[in-house]
Amino acid sequence: MAQSGFPREESTISQLKSKFPDAIKETKVDRARRITITFDKDHLQEIARYMRDELGFDHLKGIAGLDFPTQKRIEVLYFAASFSKPDIQDLLVILKTALPRDNPSIASAVTIWESAHFHERETFEMFGVKFEGHPDLRKLLTLDNWDGPPPMLKDIKFPEMGQR
Amino acid sequence: MVLDEMYEGIKHIFKRTFTMKYPYQKVLLPKGFRGRHQLYMDKCTGCGICAWICPERCISMVPVTDQKEYPQNPEKRFPQYWYARCCFCHFCTDYCPTGALDYTPDYELAEYDRDLLLWSPERLSKPATNIGQYRSVFHGDKGAMGVTYEPVNKQKSD
Amino acid sequence: MTVTKTTEPSTLDVSVGPQHPGSGHFRMLIRVDGDYIVSVDADIGYVHRGCEKIAEYRNYVSNIPHLERPCIIDAIHLNWGYVLPVEELQGVEVPRRGQYISTIAAEMNRIMSHLYWLAINAGVFSGHTTIFMWAFGDRDLFIELAEMLTGARLTYSFLPPGGPRRDLPSGFQEKLTKLLDYFERRLIEYDRIFFSNPLVIARAKGIGVLKREDAIRLGVAGPVLRGSGVKYDVRKVEPYGAYADLEFDIPTYEEGDSYARFLVRFEEMKQSVKIIRQALEKIPKGPIARKAPLVAPEGEATGRVESSRGEYAVMVMGDNSDKPYRVKIMNASFRNLIALPYLIRNVHVADMPIIYGSLDYWPVEADR
């Protein structure tokens, strides 16, 4: 493993890699206090439970969706951090996973990180990602009678916004 | 005791207040106030950076038909502003490479006819008209909220 | 407010609707049983306008007025939170004097935002109209100084990538110091008329208690977190701007009730005054900004600042063009939303404005 000079980030990565050798696909230390980890979507709940109970990452700051229409995938990003453990309080771990674009679905993280409740509702509405096991998956931000496609996908354009 | 709190409020009753009788009395705005834009047609080269950077897409470059020659702008393209959309961020003023746009303290731009909000380059080159006569002076110890308004020509400093 | 009958005979669904002056642009569907609120359903989205989608159609500089509008009373922090990851992607470093100017503007903005909270969310929602008048009057003095610094009263757009747009004008330092002396005297008066007022204490103490482990589990942010005993502030955890050189405290209270959240914001105003005084003393000479390129390379960056309502994080993804590929905004109001149905349960109807005001929920920021 290349020494990048960030011991706490490296130790978090090595702990995760040794526990889930086949579920973790890629890891990267972007800079100080930023770790990006790409994992396989079927192992979300195990990885989340390990991160919360053993490593101390106890809440999510947000869940983002990313649409890549030419590569036919939608990525879901989880921004996890820790309040309760002072020595890793400044780390921000970004967990990435790729879902197929025509039927994106993944297990819900609400049972482990309760802070994911409203973020999963928003990602469901904006990108069409179904979170299985979410107690109340319904529209959050758009109009009550909006029946169009998920608005944040790249092939949905609204002409008033201008050209890209 | 609630009477302590009431005293805090009551002791302000007899302080002198001030009301600016707008529109007869207006405040002198600080230098660099972001009102409407002023165009110096002798400096504009028609590059269009203002139109590119405008967040609201309210600037468009139009040809100007008059007899005057502009040697720095051979195609005679100048910006026209659609003030119904402008958010007065003045990124156009800051990013103009020749300094052809400037700040003015004019903020009374309301019209009865919506088409009059489209300002042509000639209209934009008129100088500013809103010069206030009163300046707010912060004393900290007298006046309501510590501020009084005094006419500008009575100022010595500040 | 519209009322509808529900299936159970003893409860009633009342919509504290989006047009209600006591709720902002936000709809709370509360289920009442007599004088007790049984449950709350937060129905947001009234002012959703697709901020993140529009941000993909504007270039990096044009995005600044667009992305500072969600919480316009806190515009410098929203601007800075967006510009930090853009500068990281482009590899631009802001000079030291520019960092100090941004810090001074940001702390002035924190005082302004807390005065707005004090006037509306703590004052008007609880019926205290004197503090409403006073806090707005004092806020206007700060707004006039911000107008002298940036040219605009509320919509600053002051920090493009590379550093602030203008330097401190002449006479600004003396005026700001005079205003801070006046404001510290006013904070004593605020304490006497509002924070030590027995009526306010009776309404807010012990109401809406959020225990420490629940605050961590729900992932709330800002004064809601610090009022429940978690000492966490992005200015200390990941220092940006000039905060690494300045000395200040993070006020934290253990009780977790609404009164503790009130006091956290009151103490933060005092700390902001301390920070501005130090920054005005220590500000170095030199350039204020560097030229930034107009495109950003491929890659992702996440930056975060401590806005007045809590932690504000932005992820920007570039694709080698002048417009971002994706801008993801994670703001404190959206994170605090989960505390609303959790806290407003089995309370009197009259406690609802106090709990809601102590959370300082800004509906436009949460909806984007």
Side-chain angles (χ1 to χ4, degrees):
Chain A
M1 197 178 317
Q3 277 300 321
S4 55
F6 302 117
R8 294 173 306 152
E9 290 85 337
E10 300 280 343
S11 96
T12 309
I13 288 183
S14 60
Q15 277 177 295
L16 271 171
K17 261 196 169 162
S18 60
K19 178 88 178 165
F20 301 100
D22 45 351
I24 306 273
K25 294 197 189 149
E26 268 179 56
T27 61
K28 191 160 170 267
V29 178
D30 302 313
R31 61 166 175 100
R33 307 184 184 104
R34 298 280 186 272
I35 310 172
T36 308
I37 295 177
T38 313
F39 67 99
D40 180 39
K41 74 179 177 90
D42 299 318
H43 297 233
L44 167 71
Q45 296 203 328
E46 304 167 353
I47 295 180
R49 193 157 282 131
Y50 178 72
M51 285 187 74
R52 184 191 66 172
D53 297 330
E54 308 293 327
L55 297 180
F57 290 97
D58 43 30
H59 70 284
L60 281 186
K61 297 203 189 292
I63 299 180
L66 279 178
D67 184 29
F68 296 103
T70 46
Q71 302 165 31
K72 295 213 178 20
R73 69 174 205 269
I74 290 181
E75 283 187 3
V76 178
L77 277 68
Y78 296 80
F79 294 81
S82 170
F83 280 144
S84 38
K85 275 186 119 181
D87 49 341
I88 52 167
Q89 224 181 25
D90 52 345
L91 296 188
L92 186 64
V93 178
I94 303 175
L95 295 163
K96 268 199 205 188
T97 181
L99 310 172
R101 195 167 188 265
D102 35 6
N103 193 11
S105 80
I106 190 172
S108 167
V110 160
T111 45
I112 302 130
W113 284 314
E114 198 172 326
S115 40
H117 186 108
F118 280 100
H119 296 117
E120 288 189 347
R121 267 178 77 177
E122 188 196 345
T123 313
F124 160 68
E125 173 190 31
M126 294 292 169
F127 286 89
V129 177
K130 292 187 198 38
F131 291 91
E132 270 127 34
H134 192 280
D136 189 19
L137 202 64
R138 57 188 161 104
K139 287 204 298 270
L140 185 69
L141 291 170
T142 47
L143 293 173
D144 288 340
N145 53 359
W146 171 258
D147 53 357
M152 285 290 291
L153 293 177
K154 286 288 177 182
D155 42 3
I156 312 297
K157 295 194 209 306
F158 299 95
E160 305 86 39
M161 288 189 305
Q163 281 82 44
R164 195 179 197 279
Chain B
M1 280 288 294
V2 186
L3 286 178
D4 286 340
E5 286 77 27
M6 287 175 63
Y7 167 70
E8 285 293 327
I10 287 172
K11 76 180 185 196
H12 287 274
I13 285 185
F14 297 106
K15 287 205 177 149
R16 182 184 150 228
T17 59
F18 190 93
T19 306
M20 288 278 295
K21 300 180 183 64
Y22 182 87
Y24 306 110
Q25 298 171 339
K26 290 188 200 170
V27 170
L28 180 72
L29 292 163
K31 189 164 149 327
F33 177 80
R34 305 205 310 230
R36 69 122 174 133
H37 309 74
Q38 180 171 7
L39 174 69
Y40 298 120
M41 290 173 81
D42 303 329
K43 293 189 191 168
C44 174
T45 60
C47 63
I49 286 184
C50 52
W52 177 77
I53 206 151
C54 177
E56 318 296 331
R57 320 276 172 90
C58 69
I59 307 179
S60 41
M61 309 299 288
V62 293
V64 152
T65 53
D66 64 348
Q67 306 305 107
K68 193 166 170 209
E69 280 296 318
Y70 299 101
Q72 84 283 357
N73 193 346
E75 296 168 28
K76 294 219 269 192
R77 289 193 334 150
F78 291 95
Q80 107 183 333
Y81 276 67
W82 177 224
Y83 271 115
R85 270 198 185 171
C86 178
C87 72
F88 297 93
C89 65
H90 276 259
F91 275 131
C92 48
T93 315
D94 283 351
Y95 277 74
C96 175
T98 57
L101 285 166
D102 201 5
Y103 303 91
T104 63
D106 289 349
Y107 53 85
E108 290 149 330
L109 305 171
E111 305 278 356
Y112 281 105
D113 186 2
R114 202 151 187 255
D115 298 331
L116 286 174
L117 285 177
L118 189 63
W119 283 52
S120 65
E122 291 91 347
R123 201 170 159 204
L124 281 173
S125 10
K126 296 207 171 75
T129 54
N130 178 24
I131 313 288
Q133 319 97 336
Y134 281 79
R135 184 180 294 189
S136 76
V137 179
F138 180 72
H139 299 280
D141 44 0
K142 63 176 177 176
M145 299 285 166
V147 171
T148 60
Y149 288 90
E150 283 156 33
V152 171
N153 47 11
K154 271 205 201 153
Q155 294 303 309
K156 297 183 282 288
S157 65
D158 183 80
Chain C
M1 302 204 305
T2 60
V3 299
T4 47
K5 286 256 187 236
T6 62
T7 50
E8 289 165 54
S10 66
T11 64
L12 200 65
D13 271 353
V14 177
S15 169
V16 183
Q19 307 278 357
H20 195 278
S23 77
H25 314 309
F26 159 62
R27 179 178 184 234
M28 271 187 282
L29 201 56
I30 57 177
R31 180 162 289 177
V32 286
D33 179 11
D35 194 34
Y36 281 91
I37 297 182
V38 172
S39 70
V40 157
D41 178 26
D43 184 10
I44 70 175
Y46 190 62
V47 277
H48 172 70
R49 55 189 186 100
C51 214
E52 300 175 353
K53 180 89 177 174
I54 296 177
E56 299 171 9
Y57 288 76
R58 304 261 187 275
N59 57 53
Y60 286 99
V61 177
S62 299
N63 253 328
I64 290 170
H66 170 65
L67 287 176
E68 73 174 356
R69 289 305 197 268
C71 189
I72 193 60
I73 60 173
D74 205 7
I76 298 270
H77 285 117
L78 265 70
N79 189 348
W80 210 355
Y82 162 69
V83 146
L84 274 179
V86 174
E87 287 170 353
E88 186 186 321
L89 268 182
Q90 295 176 336
V92 177
E93 208 187 296
V94 179
R96 288 306 292 160
R97 188 173 169 96
Q99 308 262 27
Y100 271 80
I101 295 178
S102 310
T103 307
I104 293 173
E107 289 303 315
M108 277 173 64
N109 215 339
R110 190 185 307 276
I111 295 179
M112 282 190 249
S113 175
H114 281 329
L115 283 173
Y116 188 105
W117 162 80
L118 183 59
I120 303 274
N121 291 42
V124 168
F125 284 4
S126 61
H128 199 303
T129 43
T130 305
I131 198 72
F132 163 62
M133 294 293 181
W134 286 10
F136 265 147
D138 289 332
R139 180 171 169 255
D140 216 72
L141 302 170
F142 280 96
I143 287 181
E144 284 193 6
L145 267 182
E147 185 186 55
M148 188 182 177
L149 174 65
T150 67
R153 283 172 57 98
L154 271 190
T155 60
Y156 307 123
S157 306
F158 188 52
L159 306 173
R165 284 164 82 176
R166 297 189 195 182
D167 206 341
L168 301 179
S170 68
F172 181 78
Q173 203 145 338
E174 293 80 35
K175 281 194 174 175
L176 185 53
T177 314
K178 227 174 171 182
L179 176 61
L180 290 177
D181 295 333
Y182 163 81
F183 187 59
E184 281 184 322
R185 288 197 304 265
R186 288 291 276 173
L187 279 176
I188 302 175
E189 290 186 5
Y190 286 175
D191 185 26
R192 277 198 228 131
I193 200 171
F194 187 79
F195 291 98
S196 308
N197 195 337
L199 300 173
V200 172
I201 295 181
R203 278 200 80 175
K205 228 180 168 77
I207 305 290
V209 177
L210 184 66
K211 293 201 275 291
R212 186 171 193 265
E213 49 274 4
D214 291 328
I216 295 178
R217 181 175 56 93
L218 295 174
V220 293
V224 181
L225 187 66
R226 295 193 277 278
S228 295
V230 181
K231 200 172 173 103
Y232 184 88
D233 190 317
V234 180
R235 296 175 287 173
K236 290 282 195 199
V237 157
E238 188 178 307
Y240 55 96
Y243 289 108
D245 306 335
L246 305 172
E247 272 180 37
F248 57 101
D249 299 321
I250 313 287
T252 315
Y253 287 83
E254 305 291 327
E255 294 89 9
D257 58 358
S258 301
Y259 191 61
R261 295 192 275 272
F262 282 12
L263 285 180
V264 165
R265 293 191 183 94
F266 181 58
E267 295 291 325
E268 277 186 4
M269 281 200 269
K270 292 187 189 164
Q271 294 297 318
S272 288
V273 171
K274 193 169 154 192
I275 293 175
I276 299 180
R277 278 196 213 275
Q278 284 178 55
L280 283 176
E281 236 178 278
K282 292 186 175 175
I283 184 168
K285 296 204 193 307
I288 55 169
R290 295 221 168 88
K291 263 186 133 28
L294 293 173
V295 297
E298 282 194 24
E300 285 169 24
T302 309
R304 45 192 180 147
V305 299
E306 180 78 18
S307 76
S308 313
R309 277 157 187 80
E311 181 175 350
Y312 181 76
V314 177
M315 179 203 77
V316 173
M317 182 168 170
D319 65 346
N320 244 339
S321 76
D322 59 344
K323 298 182 169 68
Y325 190 80
R326 173 85 166 102
V327 175
K328 167 71 186 168
I329 299 173
M330 295 168 272
N331 48 33
S333 290
F334 193 67
R335 284 169 62 186
N336 287 342
L337 188 59
I338 197 166
L340 201 74
Y342 180 78
L343 288 177
I344 306 186
R345 259 183 325 182
N346 301 326
V347 294
H348 289 276
V349 172
D351 293 332
M352 191 259 295
I354 297 285
I355 302 177
Y356 175 61
S358 73
L359 289 179
D360 201 3
Y361 176 76
W362 191 259
V364 189
E365 185 186 43
D367 289 352
R368 283 155 278 142

